[in-house]
Amino acid sequence: MASKRKRLTLKEKIDILEFRTSNTMGVRALADKFSVSKTQIADIIANKDALYKTWAENGEEKRKWTKLQKTETSIINNEVLNWFSKLREKNLPVSGPMLQEKSKQIAEMHGFDFKGSNGWLEKFRKINNISFKSVCGEAASVDEEAVDNWKAKIPKIIANYAECDIFNADETGLFYRVLPDKTMAFKNEICTGGKISKERLTVLLCTNMLGEFERSLVIGKAKRPRAFKKLDINNFPVNWFWNKKAWMTTEIMTEWLMKFDNRMGQNIRKVLLFLDNAAPHPHLKMKNIELVFFPPNMTSHCQPLDQGVIHQFKKLYRTQLLRKAVADLDANSSQPINIMDAIYWVSSSTKNIQPETVKKCFLRSGFRHRDNNVTDVDDLLTPIEELGNLIKVIDNTITENDYITLDDCVETYDADIENSSDTTSMSTQNEEESDEENDGSEDQEIPKIRSLREALLAVKDIRTYISSIEVQNSSLFSNTIQLENALTYEITTPAISKQT
């Protein structure tokens, strides 16, 4: 019987190959003769060329006691490079941590002791002439002539549609509660699992040429995170979906598209929807929506949302996040940010994107419409001076752009979606299990207010206080009045219903 797996020197592996050359023996027989596992024999035979090459390059005696480590590394490198090449053929972004994670998976599959260190990553990058700056995005590899040809076709494609009926939708990854002092730890993470992935949501934005946004779609890792408690998900200001990886899937995208199609039908509208060629985006024939897909490897130049809309969305989102963080610091308090906070910030961020910004992004992407009177596309984004000031309070070593773009290269779907079993909609998982997702809300204090009447009294106290001081935000008082009126309505409506 073959013994347990043992580490072999390079010479011992060459000896096995030489013996096999002069003796016709199968894998099992070789394993028994040399007291190793069948898997080891199979690996040696499969990688004989690499083994002989290493032996020839380094000399027999000089490398007599060389361990398998370098041969193992060459096996891992070859398989990682093949995997990397396939992803880049599909124009999918690949980060350093993604390569390291893949190398560990391959090593585990072969039974190798391999750490996938930063040193390995740097050597792998140099050997294969890989630049992570060009890997992360599309811009460096875009054919400018092809882009110009595509843009020339757009006016004809959209000619029969009004601006309000021409849409673009796209996903983006969002580290929903990361602060500036954590930016460098999260920058360009791939987030396939583990602690970091729990900080990520996938957000789908959809807007027309006028800057009118559809309700955002947000994908998390649990059906009902603790922050949701007994809230009705149907009343949320976003569409909530979930799966283990918080990734977009074909099932989720199809459901969203069908609902969008039904809504357009109810409003008696025929619309165009431009999408990129991401794997989860299905090519559907619908009654009220005509799907148009951007050519591969062009979205960085041709997709309106990529021209600044998503960037502005994240700028607005992180401004709200930091307002809370700084307010907590000022109050010497620390209430963790949870998914419920994120949902409302996503909603308000899309509402606060200026229509002029969206119009300019469409125009820069080649969407020249007969009704479009926008001519200046140089200043696409609305500056938010407050964000820079808030960042300095938390960490003045981080630039505003680094903080805004820290998750621009985060994957929003499974690159190998056809063979994936973890990213499908988790409708079969029981709700109790999904409730265990930790979104930070379990650390929150027990609410001091126990009823709507107590909440109304508290809001009245707030209104009284605000009216007695000078405030910078002129709408603060009116917003408090609106909240007071809404609470009053909630309290009085049941009482009126009982009397009638």
Side-chain angles (χ1 to χ4, degrees), residues 239-496:
N239 296 311
W240 176 259
F241 287 85
W242 63 288
N243 56 59
K244 282 184 178 180
K245 299 291 182 67
W247 276 346
M248 175 59 78
T249 66
T250 303
E251 291 83 356
I252 291 175
M253 191 66 187
T254 299
E255 183 175 342
W256 180 82
L257 284 170
M258 297 308 295
K259 288 181 178 179
F260 188 19
D261 185 64
N262 290 336
R263 193 160 59 254
M264 293 300 100
Q266 291 170 2
N267 295 326
I268 316 176
R269 292 172 65 182
K270 301 291 184 180
V271 304
L272 272 180
L273 175 59
F274 285 80
L275 298 172
D276 62 29
N277 271 289
H281 294 171
H283 291 242
L284 301 177
K285 295 287 186 180
M286 292 178 285
K287 293 181 180 179
N288 307 295
I289 299 175
E290 181 182 348
L291 296 180
V292 181
F293 290 89
F294 294 108
N297 202 32
M298 289 190 192
T299 56
S300 61
H301 287 261
C302 298
Q303 179 157 247
L305 286 173
D306 284 340
Q307 299 307 306
V309 177
I310 290 176
H311 186 90
Q312 190 71 8
F313 160 76
K314 291 187 176 181
K315 187 182 288 189
L316 290 163
Y317 179 93
R318 294 203 158 97
T319 299
Q320 295 178 88
L321 188 160
L322 290 190
R323 281 175 187 163
K324 181 186 185 307
V326 172
D328 283 351
L329 284 175
D330 187 55
N332 196 24
S333 169
S334 180
Q335 290 291 323
I337 295 160
N338 61 46
I339 292 179
M340 202 68 237
D341 296 322
I343 282 175
Y344 281 96
W345 291 340
V346 166
S347 176
S348 63
S349 296
T350 55
K351 290 178 181 177
N352 287 322
I353 296 175
Q354 296 298 314
E356 198 70 11
T357 297
V358 178
K359 291 177 182 179
K360 290 180 179 180
C361 289
F362 268 91
L363 187 58
R364 174 169 282 189
S365 301
F367 287 71
R368 298 185 179 277
H369 196 272
R370 59 181 182 277
D371 299 327
N372 195 326
N373 56 8
V374 177
T375 57
D376 178 19
V377 297
D378 291 331
D379 186 16
L380 289 175
L381 305 180
T382 305
I384 304 177
E385 184 178 348
E386 180 189 3
L387 178 58
N389 295 331
L390 289 169
I391 291 173
K392 291 176 183 177
V393 174
I394 304 293
D395 187 345
N396 60 12
T397 66
I398 300 297
T399 68
E400 180 178 324
N401 188 65
D402 277 346
Y403 184 48
I404 295 169
T405 62
L406 67 95
D407 42 23
D408 279 3
C409 290
V410 169
E411 277 288 8
T412 56
Y413 61 91
D414 187 359
D416 192 21
I417 196 168
E418 295 179 358
N419 301 317
S420 173
S421 60
D422 287 336
T423 56
T424 53
S425 182
M426 300 300 294
S427 58
T428 57
Q429 183 180 358
N430 65 53
E431 188 168 327
E432 287 73 20
E433 183 179 351
S434 65
D435 278 341
E436 295 303 311
E437 173 65 19
N438 176 7
D439 67 350
S441 58
E442 74 277 8
D443 297 325
Q444 289 185 322
E445 296 179 2
I446 298 173
K448 296 178 180 179
I449 296 174
R450 299 291 184 151
S451 68
L452 285 173
R453 294 186 182 279
E454 289 183 11
L456 180 59
L457 292 173
V459 172
K460 286 182 177 179
D461 286 341
I462 293 172
R463 171 172 54 81
T464 302
Y465 172 72
I466 290 174
S467 63
S468 67
I469 63 171
E470 288 188 17
V471 293
Q472 295 181 359
N473 188 343
S474 59
S475 64
L476 190 57
F477 185 80
S478 60
N479 289 341
T480 308
I481 294 292
Q482 289 181 12
L483 179 57
E484 185 177 341
N485 290 337
L487 286 169
T488 302
Y489 177 82
E490 288 294 323
I491 293 170
T492 56
T493 299
I496 295 172

Side-chain angles (χ1 to χ4, degrees), residues 167-184:
F167 289 83
N168 175 214
D170 192 29
E171 304 91 348
T172 183
L174 180 69
F175 290 132
Y176 70 92
R177 57 183 176 188
V178 66
L179 299 177
D181 60 337
K182 300 293 184 183
T183 297
M184 300 313 293

